Amino acid sequence: MEENIKKNEGSAKKAALSIKNLNKSLGRRQILHDISFDAYEGEVFGFLGPNGAGKTTTIKLITGLLNIDEGNIEIGGYSLKKNYEKALGSIGGIVENPEMYKHLTGMENLKQYARMRDNITNERIEEVVKIVGLSNRINEKIKRYSLGMRQRLGVAQALLHRPRLLLLDEPTNGLDPAGIKELRDILKKLAHEENICVLVSSHLMSEMELMCDRVGIINNGKMVGVYTVEEMIRESSGDNAEYIYNVDNTEKVSALLGNAEYRISDENYIEVTFSGDDTEEKLAELNRKLIENGVKLYTVSPKEKKKLEDVFIEITQSGGVQIG
Amino acid sequence: MAKMHKLIQNEYIKTWKKLATKMLFVIIVLAVAALVVISKLIDYDYKKYLNEVKNEAADFSYAIKEAETKKYPGYETDLEKYEFLLDNNVTVGSWKIQAASEAYSYEVNKKSVTYNHSAETRAKMLQSIEKDDWKKFCELMVQSMKSQGKPEDYYWEYQYRLNKNIPLPDTTADMLEYPNDVIRSVAGAKNVLADYNSEEGIGDAIDTKTHDEMIAMGMYRLENNLKVNVLENKDFLGTGEINFWTVFGQSSSLITVVGVLIIIVAGSSVANEFSQGTIKFLLINPVKRWKILVSKYVMCISMGFLMVLLLFVLSLLASMIFYGTDTLGSSCLELKNNEILIENGIAYVFKNYMYRSVEVLVMATLAFAISSVAKNSAMAIGISLFAMLMGSSITSLLKTELQQDWVRYLVFANTDFSSVINGTSGFANHSLGFAIGVVVIHLVVFFLIAWDGFTKREI
């Protein structure tokens, strides 16, 4: 973790959100222990943790819904404690469910939020409606909206005032796969093209993998670490490459393997593990040898990699692993 | 950052677009309609009664039976009188009944200063009845009283009617109409005072001040030809008659309805944001929480005021439509320290509206405070409604039945500014300044409770 922070400080990216030594208790229970991390403009930052880890509490602290016990939150350089209105002025967000005024239309809801923020023109409202793809249904009452539509309206509401930091708490909840993909594309576009910092919380690693540039993992109210998605993927694949050979004679194959590890799983199947660098070269070499030695090679397929989900579970359970 | 008026606009849109809020305004319209219907029912009854007695022959059968069976001293004279009245087809409420009493009662009540007319006068009085000549009767009364050296107060009415050429009433309806009603009350008060001041001391112990005031007020109205005194027609209880002013004045009691409605609005404005889950979206905006709270409070109170205004205008229009505009310019006359205070009638009713709104303001603020502390609209509405509907009854019970004077510090004992001004609040040394002070302190405390509950709350 230390290393990660150093690396990030080295880059020229500007922190849209900077959290330092955040502590929070609700009742007698301490929910957050010394949370610190930065999220930068132009990235989608995944805030990942199992249910009850403290994600929503952290987001509520950032949005001022909860009061900070200890520590400091800066948004776009403004301290939330000292400069509440300015700090909140550069945040847009959805906390928990996208609850809107059901008796108002989508447009009327957006106008409510527009009046509470500075300089929002009707053109801007139309623009965000277009961004989230609600133009056809914007004049319908919220009672008639599906959860997915409300989620999109929530995003529209959050984008109205061109925030530097967009906070979305479990935004894919209740969305169908198509909706999730659309949302993912919207968020990526916002981060990479409009240089917004998008912070997305989730308990699903698979979702984060496709959407995020970096992932901060929280467990039991403690920050486990912040990783780039590439780091996570490398961890999941490890340094070894495993392949499953479907052949007529597994005995012959094992004899030709040399020092590579293997496991005969079936009469016609053998799993081979190549270690070290140049695993692909080693694979090609073995294939050549097999054919030269008259082994009938039906198929070779890479063994499924360790899932990112499993890595996430490993990380949260072990309290953090050193990566990279 | 965000301008206050935009926040208030938001609150208005949110509240107004609810079907329930529109229903609240419909309820006000219905309340006014109900008031008109009730007034028409009372008016119908009253008119029916007047119509029934209009040409009804006076019925003396009970009095005749009484005289025949009891045979009290002078009963023969009374029987003669009844027979005479029956012969002349006298109607109920006619001046002739009184006139006949004057003519026949020479022996019955020696004590009465009025019954000492000469035989000649009495005969002429009977003639005037037979000829249906009220003027003659008045002249006879004035002459007879003068000749007996009686104080002018005893025959003022007759002299006045002669001077102004105002006939004595011939029916009950006549009797109750202006100016007969005013003349009657002035004459009555003058008689009582004259009895009280007479050397014989035949009058009962009375509050001379009240009678003096009655006379002064009546004379003022007669001199200025003021058909209606709004003060005496301010509600259905004032007079039997229903007119523009009784309906319009009575409408101020409907402010209790506005109270119920605005307690519902104030009790839900904060709590509903919590129950709908919209509070999070409201508070993540770059607006300080106290500004949101103030905008909600301003919305509730101003909407309550709008409801009161709507009630006022609707009641005014309804009263005009159903009871005419003839007396629209009438004034409210009030005697204070021997001076007649004249106030425009509509202004007087509006002032009553404002006085009655004080309690509504306090209770709406209470509902608002509970709503933002407890996040529960049912509780806020329930407690505030109970306080509004029962508070003053419980306070007056504690005061009158249990002699608990400390209840003067309760807000309920101080919201009725008009009774404090009139000195009818039931508490000694109850000044308007004290009442305003107690009310303001309660408002401030309620609002601070709401403030504390809302701005420090963790969502």
Side-chain angles (χ1 to χ4, degrees):
Chain A
M1 195 171 118
E2 296 271 311
E3 240 172 278
N4 269 306
I5 290 170
K6 266 180 213 156
K7 194 161 76 186
N8 293 333
E9 278 169 355
S11 68
K13 283 182 170 178
K14 206 174 141 200
L17 170 69
S18 176
I19 295 182
K20 291 210 171 67
N21 307 104
L22 197 60
N23 280 292
K24 178 68 192 173
S25 299
L26 290 174
R28 270 191 227 147
R29 208 161 75 84
Q30 185 160 5
I31 308 288
L32 296 182
H33 303 262
D34 234 18
I35 299 283
S36 296
F37 68 88
D38 286 351
Y40 303 102
E41 290 185 349
E43 73 172 353
V44 181
F45 185 93
F47 195 40
L48 190 62
N51 288 327
K55 298 185 297 289
T56 298
T57 304
T58 308
I59 288 178
K60 282 184 171 180
L61 284 164
I62 300 170
T63 49
L65 295 177
L66 292 175
N67 300 323
I68 299 170
D69 285 355
E70 260 177 60
N72 201 11
I73 296 176
E74 274 184 20
I75 300 143
Y78 295 111
S79 159
L80 190 63
K81 277 183 188 168
K82 292 176 196 145
N83 220 332
Y84 184 83
E85 290 191 345
K86 280 229 167 92
L88 274 190
S90 47
I91 293 185
I94 303 177
V95 182
E96 292 172 327
N97 304 317
E99 305 287 2
M100 302 280 161
Y101 299 105
K102 290 194 175 65
H103 61 290
L104 301 182
T105 66
M107 184 52 92
E108 284 167 342
N109 266 285
L110 288 181
K111 288 202 166 159
Q112 286 272 321
Y113 299 110
R115 278 184 217 102
M116 299 177 83
R117 300 167 196 173
D118 287 340
N119 308 322
I120 292 169
T121 58
N122 286 340
E123 289 74 36
R124 176 61 185 166
I125 299 177
E126 298 289 348
E127 197 183 336
V128 292
V129 170
K130 208 171 275 172
I131 292 175
V132 297
L134 270 179
S135 301
N136 293 333
R137 310 281 302 270
I138 198 66
N139 289 318
E140 277 180 39
K141 288 196 172 165
I142 302 297
K143 327 184 221 221
R144 304 217 182 84
Y145 275 29
S146 67
L147 181 58
M149 288 166 73
R150 277 192 281 143
Q151 193 70 261
R152 283 196 249 169
L153 189 68
V155 174
Q157 165 275 133
L159 289 175
L160 271 180
H161 54 303
R162 302 175 197 275
R164 303 316 303 156
L165 173 61
L166 183 61
L167 293 169
L168 303 173
D169 194 9
E170 309 264 358
T172 53
N173 264 2
L175 294 189
D176 54 20
I180 292 176
K181 186 180 179 306
E182 265 176 48
L183 180 69
R184 191 196 303 147
D185 293 343
I186 292 171
L187 297 183
K188 275 184 174 173
K189 202 175 144 194
L190 287 169
H192 301 150
E193 290 177 19
E194 301 203 20
N195 205 32
I196 290 175
C197 171
V198 181
L199 188 147
V200 181
S201 80
S202 178
H203 59 277
L204 298 171
M205 180 65 214
S206 52
E207 201 169 82
M208 299 281 99
E209 179 192 354
L210 295 169
M211 204 187 291
C212 301
D213 302 307
R214 289 196 307 147
V215 175
I217 296 176
I218 184 173
N219 192 30
N220 288 325
K222 291 181 183 129
M223 210 60 197
V224 176
V226 180
Y227 312 101
T228 64
V229 170
E230 290 78 31
E231 284 170 340
M232 300 276 297
I233 291 169
R234 214 178 304 145
E235 166 65 14
S236 75
S237 58
D239 295 331
N240 300 330
E242 288 177 278
Y243 292 90
I244 301 165
Y245 280 80
N246 182 358
V247 290
D248 62 338
N249 190 336
T250 54
E251 294 295 322
K252 258 189 187 173
V253 177
S254 63
L256 290 163
L257 275 175
N259 58 355
E261 276 178 43
Y262 69 93
R263 193 170 74 86
I264 297 169
S265 54
D266 199 336
E267 200 184 327
N268 297 98
Y269 288 91
I270 179 166
E271 293 175 24
V272 181
T273 308
F274 302 103
S275 54
D277 301 327
D278 300 330
T279 52
E280 283 170 352
E281 281 300 315
K282 286 173 182 167
L283 171 75
E285 177 66 20
L286 178 60
N287 292 350
R288 193 181 53 79
K289 275 189 199 165
L290 292 180
I291 289 159
E292 279 175 1
N293 286 283
V295 176
K296 280 182 183 168
L297 182 54
Y298 303 129
T299 61
V300 184
S301 53
K303 192 181 172 187
E304 223 174 288
K305 287 173 183 174
K306 213 196 287 179
K307 283 184 181 158
L308 278 175
E309 208 69 54
D310 300 328
V311 179
F312 164 52
I313 290 166
E314 256 173 49
I315 291 172
T316 53
Q317 280 172 355
S318 65
V321 289
Q322 283 299 324
I323 294 181
Chain B
M1 275 170 95
K3 284 180 188 122
M4 202 66 204
H5 76 265
K6 286 191 172 174
L7 296 179
I8 296 168
Q9 188 187 353
N10 267 355
E11 294 304 325
Y12 259 97
I13 291 171
K14 270 189 273 187
T15 311
W16 178 247
K17 293 253 168 160
K18 268 188 204 146
L19 184 66
T21 312
K22 286 172 191 151
M23 287 311 297
L24 299 185
F25 280 83
V26 172
I27 288 172
I28 293 177
V29 177
L30 290 179
V32 174
L35 179 77
V36 170
V37 169
I38 291 169
S39 77
K40 281 288 173 190
L41 289 175
I42 298 174
D43 191 41
Y44 176 77
D45 261 15
Y46 183 71
K47 291 245 170 71
K48 200 171 110 189
Y49 160 75
L50 286 185
N51 228 2
E52 275 168 10
V53 295
K54 192 175 172 189
N55 293 312
E56 193 187 352
D59 180 7
F60 302 106
S61 57
Y62 178 79
I64 291 168
K65 203 175 152 200
E66 185 109 323
E68 280 172 344
T69 50
K70 289 198 177 153
K71 298 192 192 304
Y72 49 79
Y75 79 96
E76 297 96 335
T77 325
D78 271 357
L79 285 175
E80 215 177 305
K81 178 177 86 178
Y82 298 137
E83 206 176 312
F84 173 80
L85 287 169
L86 287 172
D87 287 346
N88 284 283
N89 298 322
V90 173
T91 52
V92 176
S94 169
W95 61 275
K96 292 168 188 166
I97 298 172
Q98 169 69 23
S101 296
E102 294 283 348
Y104 277 105
S105 302
Y106 54 99
E107 279 195 341
V108 179
N109 196 348
K110 284 266 163 55
K111 206 180 155 196
S112 169
V113 274
T114 56
Y115 298 138
N116 281 318
H117 309 297
S118 69
E120 191 197 343
T121 308
R122 294 204 306 275
K124 282 182 180 166
M125 282 178 176
L126 291 178
Q127 273 176 26
S128 74
I129 295 171
E130 279 164 345
K131 286 181 188 160
D132 197 10
D133 186 354
W134 67 270
K135 270 188 187 167
K136 184 75 192 160
F137 175 69
C138 287
E139 279 162 14
L140 288 168
M141 283 299 285
V142 173
Q143 276 166 19
S144 175
M145 292 296 206
K146 266 187 185 163
S147 67
Q148 290 172 57
K150 298 294 181 194
E152 197 199 339
D153 279 352
Y154 281 122
Y155 56 90
W156 168 84
E157 177 178 359
Y158 306 105
Q159 187 70 65
Y160 185 80
R161 284 182 184 278
L162 285 171
N163 293 347
K164 304 272 174 186
N165 196 22
I166 303 166
L168 283 162
D170 215 29
T171 65
T172 312
D174 274 358
M175 198 166 74
L176 296 171
E177 217 162 68
Y178 181 85
N180 294 329
D181 57 343
V182 179
I183 294 175
R184 224 161 51 109
S185 81
V186 173
K190 279 181 183 273
N191 271 323
V192 173
L193 276 181
D195 281 354
Y196 179 75
N197 293 326
S198 67
E199 286 163 17
E200 295 97 323
I202 53 172
D204 301 319
I206 50 156
D207 178 5
T208 54
K209 188 168 171 276
T210 318
H211 288 79
D212 281 336
E213 285 177 354
M214 265 164 71
I215 294 166
M217 179 72 84
M219 290 311 292
Y220 183 86
R221 282 181 63 187
L222 291 171
E223 279 158 24
N224 296 284
N225 196 24
L226 302 173
K227 202 173 164 201
V228 172
N229 178 6
V230 175
L231 189 67
E232 288 168 15
N233 288 271
K234 61 176 190 279
D235 49 37
F236 292 164
L237 304 172
T239 57
E241 189 197 350
I242 296 292
N243 58 33
F244 171 87
W245 289 102
T246 53
V247 178
F248 187 38
Q250 182 70 46
S251 73
S252 71
S253 64
L254 295 180
I255 286 193
T256 307
V257 176
V258 173
V260 173
L261 303 182
I262 207 64
I263 281 173
I264 294 171
V265 173
S268 11
S269 89
V270 176
N272 275 1
E273 300 276 3
F274 282 96
S275 63
Q276 296 166 355
T278 44
I279 187 74
K280 284 168 285 192
F281 286 88
L282 189 62
L283 296 187
I284 62 171
N285 285 288
V287 178
K288 287 222 165 93
R289 286 196 191 181
W290 67 262
K291 290 183 186 167
I292 289 172
L293 186 80
V294 168
S295 69
K296 283 186 174 295
Y297 185 68
V298 169
M299 182 275 291
C300 293
I301 299 308
S302 59
M303 186 173 280
F305 190 72
L306 286 179
M307 284 177 173
V308 170
L309 278 186
L310 175 74
L311 178 67
F312 183 81
V313 171
L314 280 181
S315 303
L316 180 62
L317 290 177
S319 308
M320 280 162 70
I321 291 166
F322 292 96
Y323 291 94
T325 53
D326 319 345
T327 60
L328 198 61
S330 296
S331 299
C332 172
L333 307 175
E334 205 175 350
L335 253 172
K336 243 180 205 164
N337 308 321
N338 278 330
E339 229 180 298
I340 293 176
L341 304 176
I342 307 156
E343 197 176 356
N344 177 283
I346 292 176
Y348 171 79
V349 175
F350 188 75
K351 196 176 73 185
N352 268 349
Y353 264 67
M354 291 298 105
Y355 285 152
R356 283 187 184 245
S357 300
V358 172
E359 188 180 32
V360 172
L361 172 70
V362 174
M363 293 309 147
T365 309
L366 175 65
F368 188 76
I370 298 173
S371 168
S372 59
V373 171
K375 304 192 272 187
N376 184 327
S377 59
M379 192 169 127
I381 294 168
I383 292 176
S384 310
L385 276 187
F386 180 81
M388 187 179 77
L389 299 175
M390 300 299 293
S392 41
S393 316
I394 292 172
T395 306
S396 76
L397 208 69
L398 282 169
K399 168 75 183 104
T400 54
E401 300 300 319
L402 302 168
Q403 277 77 46
Q404 300 294 315
D405 195 64
W406 58 264
V407 298
R408 69 163 63 224
Y409 295 102
L410 291 180
V411 72
F412 309 113
N414 294 285
T415 50
D416 189 358
F417 286 179
S418 62
S419 76
V420 174
I421 293 168
N422 296 334
T424 54
S425 71
F427 295 96
N429 303 321
H430 202 172
S431 74
L432 184 62
F434 176 83
I436 292 174
V438 171
V439 167
V440 168
I441 287 170
H442 276 81
L443 286 178
V444 169
V445 168
F446 290 158
F447 189 74
L448 287 180
I449 289 170
W451 181 291
D452 190 67
F454 191 74
T455 56
K456 293 190 182 150
R457 141 109 19 88
E458 305 214 304
I459 312 297

